[in-house]
Every structure is written in C-alpha cells, then in structure tokens.
Amino acid sequence: MKRHLRLSHSTAVLGIVGLTLGSACSDSSATQVDEPRPFQLEFVATASGQPLRCAQTLSGLGSKKTQGKLLDFAFYVRGLSFIRADGSEVAAELDTNAWQNQNVALLDFQDLSDECKGAAKPTNTIIKGQVPTQDEFSAVRFTVGLPPALNHANPASAKAPFNVQRLFWSWQSGYKSMRLDIAPKGGITRPSDPSFSGTNYFFHLGSTGCTGNPESGRPVKCSRTNQPVVTLSNFEFQKSKVSIDVATLLADLDLNTDAADTPGCMSDVTDTECKAFFKAIGLEFESGAVSQSPQVTFRLL
C-alpha cells in the first residue's frame, strides 16, 4: 500500500512538471511577431473642389477669383511615416516601380503632355508600400521633396522617377520638389513695367542658396532647403486620402499681376510672391525652414 502511494506521488510530481513545461511552451508560442502590412495612400488634387485636370477650366483662383487652366502639377514625397496614438512613428517602406524609388515617390497630376496641350500621358496619384507592424495609426507625415543625397544628380542618367526633365533645375540647385503652372485668364501684367506681359503663373518649389559642384565631386550645400513637412491628424489607415487644394495654395495671390522676377514664385527670397506660397505650404519665407504655423494646403479626406 505504501509503495503504491509513493508511485502515485511521483506520478503527480511529473504531471505538475509536465504542465509547467507545457504552459511555458504555450506562452512562448503565443508571442506575436508583426508581419509587414501593405498599404496604398491616395492623393487627390483639386481647386476648390474642381478636379485638377488639363481640360478643366478652373475658377475662383487667387485673391481676384480668376479663371485659369492647368499647365503642370507634380511633386515628390519622401519620409512617409505613420504615427501611433502615443506619438511614435513607423517609417513606411515604399515599393520600387516607375513612380517610386529609394523611398521617394513622384505624384504627377498632369494628364496631357507639353504643358497640357499634347497627347495623353500617364499620371500617378497613389503611393504604395508596406509598414512593418499591425499597429493602429492616428496620423500620417511626409516631406515634400527629395533627400539631399538624391537631389543633386543628372536626370539624363537617373532612374525613374528621377529622370523627369521638367522637374529639374540644375545640377547645383537640384530638382523641383513641387511644380505648379497655371495660365490665368487675361494674362499677367507688371505695374512697374508697362511693357511686360506674361501668360503663365508658376510655383516652383526647390532648394536655393546652393554651393558646390556635383559634376566635379564637390558636395552641394543649400542654405534654404525649402521642403515642407506635412503632418495630418485624424488619419484612418487604408481609408483616408490626402487632398491638396491648389486654390488654397494660390488664395492670397493676384494671378493677373506680378511684382518682379518670374511671374509667381521660383523659391527665391527676393521674390515677393513666394511669401504667400510659403505660408500656405508651411514654410518660413525668410529661412525656408518648416514654419511653426500649420500649412493649409494639404488635408485628409
């Protein structure tokens, strides 16, 4: 009888050990490992709700509510990230395709070639990629422009999407981060120069005050990077779209009148029209740094 009790006690101990080890294995196997999650982020370009297309006559542009026609609109996006509710960021890894390379995407809304006067051309309104987590996000953040390492290159030998000639200034100044060309009805005059007449109003955003020579191997440094960082809250992953309203970008400008330099803004601190453009997109006019005041051009749909 006693021997039987000892065997039962040993069996019980082994059973407890087995349960303990089983629980440990169970806990370990239950540990979750995040897997990459694909996403698509769509951008929608409008002018006060009007579709931004070459054939569309745009109305209500600028301070004088001018009519106009789109000639060109495109911009680069880098540093795309999604933000958790606690403020921590998760960097997106962009796919590589004809519109995306090295985590930079080109968004192009010009649907006809040759300043919207030619044949149909491809457009791109969607950024595609992956995030390395299954977490929930409450905001999205991105920078308009190219990183310095990619900004000063030769577009003739560059891979897509860095081979777009119309978005290039020079080796030293690099690419245009954003290009918007509008032809306002009635043309453009300059009060200080009665002989001046123009047809196209521009916003070309890019780095200025650059020194160096990438062709000879001298690194380029720019005193004004002029790259806005856009953060949009109340974001729903895979549901929200990013809207950019060019009417808001142009709201404080008279498209039929220009004070000096090229009509509109070419990102130079001496060009007075740049002040309104920079304010709308979230940049300090004097320094070209990101403004403390929020941008008003981008929002979520």
Side-chain angles (χ1 to χ4, degrees), residues 55-75:
Q56 178 78 36
T57 297
L58 305 174
S59 59
L61 299 176
S63 59
K64 299 294 180 65
K65 306 303 178 185
T66 306
Q67 287 189 335
K69 299 284 286 187
L70 176 70
L71 302 179
D72 198 343
F73 187 49
F75 58 94

Side-chain angles (χ1 to χ4, degrees), residues 232-249:
L232 301 171
S233 302
N234 300 316
F235 174 77
E236 293 186 75
F237 190 77
Q238 293 289 61
K239 292 182 180 180
S240 295
K241 300 178 182 180
V242 178
S243 169
I244 177 168
D245 186 357
V246 301
T248 303
L249 185 60

Side-chain angles (χ1 to χ4, degrees), residues 102-204:
Q102 299 184 71
N103 279 327
V104 177
L106 171 60
L107 296 162
D108 190 347
F109 302 88
Q110 181 191 338
D111 55 322
L112 297 177
S113 60
D114 302 328
E115 295 184 332
C116 281
K117 301 180 183 70
K121 62 172 282 296
T123 62
N124 182 54
T125 62
I126 295 176
I127 297 178
K128 299 178 181 180
Q130 295 183 338
V131 287
T133 176
Q134 300 292 317
D135 292 346
E136 295 298 321
F137 303 109
S138 60
V140 62
R141 178 174 292 151
F142 57 87
T143 299
V144 177
L146 280 73
L150 298 175
N151 196 39
H152 306 282
N154 184 357
S157 58
K159 295 181 179 180
F162 311 123
N163 57 353
V164 182
Q165 297 285 342
R166 76 184 208 275
L167 293 177
F168 193 70
W169 259 336
S170 69
W171 273 81
Q172 189 178 75
S173 298
Y175 289 83
K176 299 169 187 176
S177 300
M178 176 181 286
R179 176 172 181 166
L180 172 64
D181 298 358
I182 297 284
K185 184 178 180 179
I188 305 165
T189 60
R190 183 167 291 162
S192 61
D193 183 3
S195 65
F196 175 86
S197 64
T199 57
N200 299 347
Y201 201 88
F202 306 102
F203 177 47
H204 294 183

Side-chain angles (χ1 to χ4, degrees), residues 278-279 282-284 289-295:
F278 276 38
K279 180 181 179 181
L283 291 174
E284 296 288 351
V290 176
S291 175
Q292 295 299 313
S293 301
Q295 62 81 32

Side-chain angles (χ1 to χ4, degrees), residues 239-268:
K239 292 182 180 180
S240 295
K241 300 178 182 180
V242 178
S243 169
I244 177 168
D245 186 357
V246 301
T248 303
L249 185 60
L250 298 165
D252 294 334
L253 294 150
D254 179 358
L255 273 62
N256 295 118
T257 306
D258 184 74
D261 207 352
T262 305
C265 168
M266 292 288 184
S267 298
D268 199 297

